Amino acid sequence: MMKKTKIYAEILEDEALEQFNTAMSLPCNIAGALMPDAHTGYTLPIGAVIKSDKIIFPAYVGYDIGCGMCAVKLDITSDTLDLHAIKKDILRDIPIGHHKQKEAQTFDDLPPYTNFAETVLDSVGQYQLGTLGGGNHFIELGVGSDEKLWIVIHSGSRGFGKIIAEHYMKLACAKSIDTKELENEFEVRNANFKEHNPQKFEEAKEKFLQKELEKQIKSNLEGHYGFAIDSNEGLEYIKDMNCALEFALKNRKMMIEKIKNILGNPKELHFINKNHNHAIVDEDGFVLHRKGATGAQLGEYGVIPGNMKDGSFVVIGKGCEESLCSSSHGAGRVLSRIQAKKTLSLDEFHNDMANIVTNHNDDTLDEAPKAYKNIFEVMELQKDLVDVVEHIRPILNIKG
């Protein structure tokens, strides 16, 4: 059967293409697409969408389950705002980077989750709810075409989602390892040991298998390993993934409420939430994985950020089947973090941000606008996927 694939990216590394092709070589993966912002990731490129038949891949969702965007339009304008004071208040009230809450945060209405996820919630999640995180996560204030103020936030499920992702990626990897072969190898090498001390032999074999398993999982963790959606592991991953998706939304909402409070609690005119790291299982058992890709069903609102200088776009999906009803999740990196710090100009970075109130500094050069693809070109490449309804121009940007 011919598999349906579509690549929208014009700038794409060979490694990213190889990752995509490896995924599409698996019999269970029946359709795939690469968004205009696609670039090399782990296992799959960031900006990949894969449709699978009855198999779910934790690595295709990634470490930051539920990472995504919220955009809120407010019934105020920016002309009377003291942006420097607002920046100071946001940094006071919202932990960023590796920082967490000093006290456990209360949460409710999370969907059902496993005992494993409960342990992670208690030990990690409740202290990271309402925090931004690091990397390319950001809080932004911007204005639209009518000069109304928008709050735009990019963040995810923090350590809660990461620990869940690692747990299930390890389980999926372990299931792919042939322990019988390892057992045979140990028994052949230690035949005399088995004959003279069978009890100690069994203990030694168990330790050997555990050590080898851990070693192989560590070196092969980021691979194309999945669960049947009706298996115990698959059902538990789906349950905990859905919990992490909701946690990520609550995380963004909590930050929005704190910022609204700083702004004097203005009226909300429009609220959009759209995550871009998830898997959706339909009633026929097909699994749509999006890793750094935004849903773009017909009439579906989305938010696509560009960079610190060029702001974000509010879009409406066109329901394009070739893209698996998806669009980009941003501009996409054109330089790795290491490359950006080696090659980009600090002076140019500071000049680019001159008219925007930010917390940027020399250490955040890897988040400079020129580390990313041109967002306007990326939007042009997906004009068949989404319609742009608003360009939010940034006036304040806080990076994690």
Side-chain angles (χ1 to χ4, degrees):
M1 181 181 74
M2 180 70 73
K3 297 187 178 185
K4 295 180 180 178
T5 61
K6 180 73 174 180
I7 296 176
Y8 292 89
E10 287 191 346
I11 302 172
L12 189 64
E13 313 99 319
D14 290 342
E15 186 179 355
L17 187 58
E18 183 180 349
Q19 290 177 331
F20 181 66
N21 289 337
T22 299
M24 293 312 303
S25 71
L26 301 182
C28 65
N29 293 337
I30 58 176
L34 288 180
M35 299 301 102
D37 61 335
H39 58 280
T40 302
Y42 50 86
T43 309
L44 271 189
I46 310 301
V49 187
I50 300 289
K51 185 177 182 180
S52 306
D53 186 5
K54 299 180 178 60
I55 302 292
I56 191 164
F57 294 85
Y60 287 11
V61 176
Y63 289 107
D64 196 358
I65 301 169
C67 180
M69 305 292 302
C70 276
V72 185
K73 185 178 182 180
L74 303 173
D75 195 15
I76 57 172
T77 56
S78 64
D79 47 356
T80 61
L81 298 179
D82 183 342
L83 294 176
H84 291 282
I86 291 169
K87 182 184 89 167
K88 183 178 178 181
D89 289 346
I90 291 174
L91 291 172
R92 177 198 65 203
D93 293 347
I94 298 177
I96 68 171
H98 296 294
H99 296 284
K100 59 184 180 180
Q101 303 284 8
K102 293 177 181 177
E103 297 179 356
Q105 305 296 297
T106 57
F107 50 84
D108 53 19
D109 300 328
L110 288 176
Y113 46 84
T114 67
N115 290 336
F116 173 78
E118 182 177 18
T119 301
V120 184
L121 269 175
D122 291 342
S123 61
V124 175
Q126 62 182 340
Y127 294 98
Q128 292 189 328
L129 196 65
T131 67
L132 182 64
N136 62 358
H137 290 171
F138 66 81
I139 293 168
E140 194 165 82
L141 296 185
V143 293
S145 55
D146 59 1
E147 299 304 317
K148 294 290 188 183
L149 191 73
W150 288 76
I151 301 171
V152 182
I153 292 184
H154 177 210
S155 189
S157 53
R158 306 290 282 110
F160 175 58
K162 183 176 186 291
I163 293 170
I164 286 173
E166 286 180 339
H167 173 70
Y168 287 101
M169 286 166 67
K170 286 178 179 178
L171 284 181
C173 181
K175 284 178 68 69
S176 72
I177 297 171
D178 186 357
T179 54
K180 263 291 185 232
E181 188 176 321
L182 291 173
E183 283 186 53
N184 292 337
E185 176 190 334
F186 186 83
E187 294 199 4
V188 168
R189 281 176 17 213
N190 297 278
N192 290 336
F193 183 14
K194 183 177 183 179
E195 182 181 348
H196 292 99
N197 196 336
Q199 183 177 346
K200 289 288 185 184
F201 170 84
E202 289 300 327
E203 291 175 5
K205 184 172 76 171
E206 190 62 34
K207 287 182 180 177
F208 167 79
L209 289 175
Q210 185 63 34
K211 187 177 180 181
E212 282 298 309
L213 203 58
E214 288 174 0
K215 188 165 69 175
Q216 291 199 31
I217 288 172
K218 186 176 181 180
S219 60
N220 298 296
L221 179 62
E222 295 173 352
H224 299 258
Y225 312 119
F227 302 122
I229 57 173
D230 58 355
S231 67
N232 288 335
E233 297 94 338
L235 291 169
E236 289 188 344
Y237 173 70
I238 292 167
K239 183 182 286 188
D240 287 349
M241 176 196 68
N242 286 331
C243 177
L245 293 176
E246 185 63 25
F247 181 93
L249 172 57
K250 289 183 181 299
N251 184 42
R252 292 190 287 273
K253 280 185 171 180
M254 184 177 287
M255 288 186 278
I256 287 168
E257 288 306 312
K258 289 183 178 181
I259 297 167
K260 282 174 59 183
N261 185 58
I262 291 169
L263 295 170
N265 289 308
K267 178 183 176 183
E268 280 189 20
L269 299 177
H270 194 41
F271 176 87
I272 305 167
N273 172 66
K274 194 59 58 185
N275 78 69
H276 43 239
N277 288 351
H278 59 252
I280 300 169
V281 184
D282 72 16
E283 59 186 14
D284 296 317
F286 294 115
V287 184
L288 188 68
H289 304 83
R290 290 193 180 102
K291 186 178 186 183
T294 303
Q297 297 277 358
L298 182 63
E300 182 178 17
Y301 275 94
V303 184
I304 300 175
N307 56 59
M308 295 174 73
K309 178 170 72 76
D310 294 318
S312 302
F313 293 86
V314 176
V315 299
I316 294 181
K318 290 187 172 183
C320 175
E321 294 295 335
E322 279 193 313
S323 73
L324 298 173
C325 295
S326 306
S327 65
S328 85
H329 83 312
R333 296 194 73 90
V334 72
L335 293 174
S336 71
R337 296 190 180 279
I338 293 173
Q339 288 172 326
K341 288 194 171 184
K342 282 183 177 179
T343 61
L344 294 182
S345 160
L346 278 169
D347 288 341
E348 192 171 12
F349 180 29
H350 295 315
N351 287 337
D352 281 343
M353 306 313 301
N355 297 318
I356 301 170
V357 175
T358 78
N359 67 333
H360 84 283
N361 55 52
D362 292 1
D363 293 333
T364 57
L365 182 60
D366 55 338
E367 281 297 312
K370 287 185 172 55
Y372 289 86
K373 296 180 183 180
N374 183 312
I375 185 59
F376 300 100
E377 293 175 359
V378 167
M379 297 308 296
E380 179 65 21
L381 290 171
Q382 55 189 335
K383 61 186 179 183
D384 293 335
L385 313 185
V386 292
D387 282 324
V388 175
V389 295
E390 187 66 276
H391 177 206
I392 303 171
R393 309 182 315 277
I395 57 175
L396 183 153
N397 182 289
I398 293 173
K399 281 280 186 182

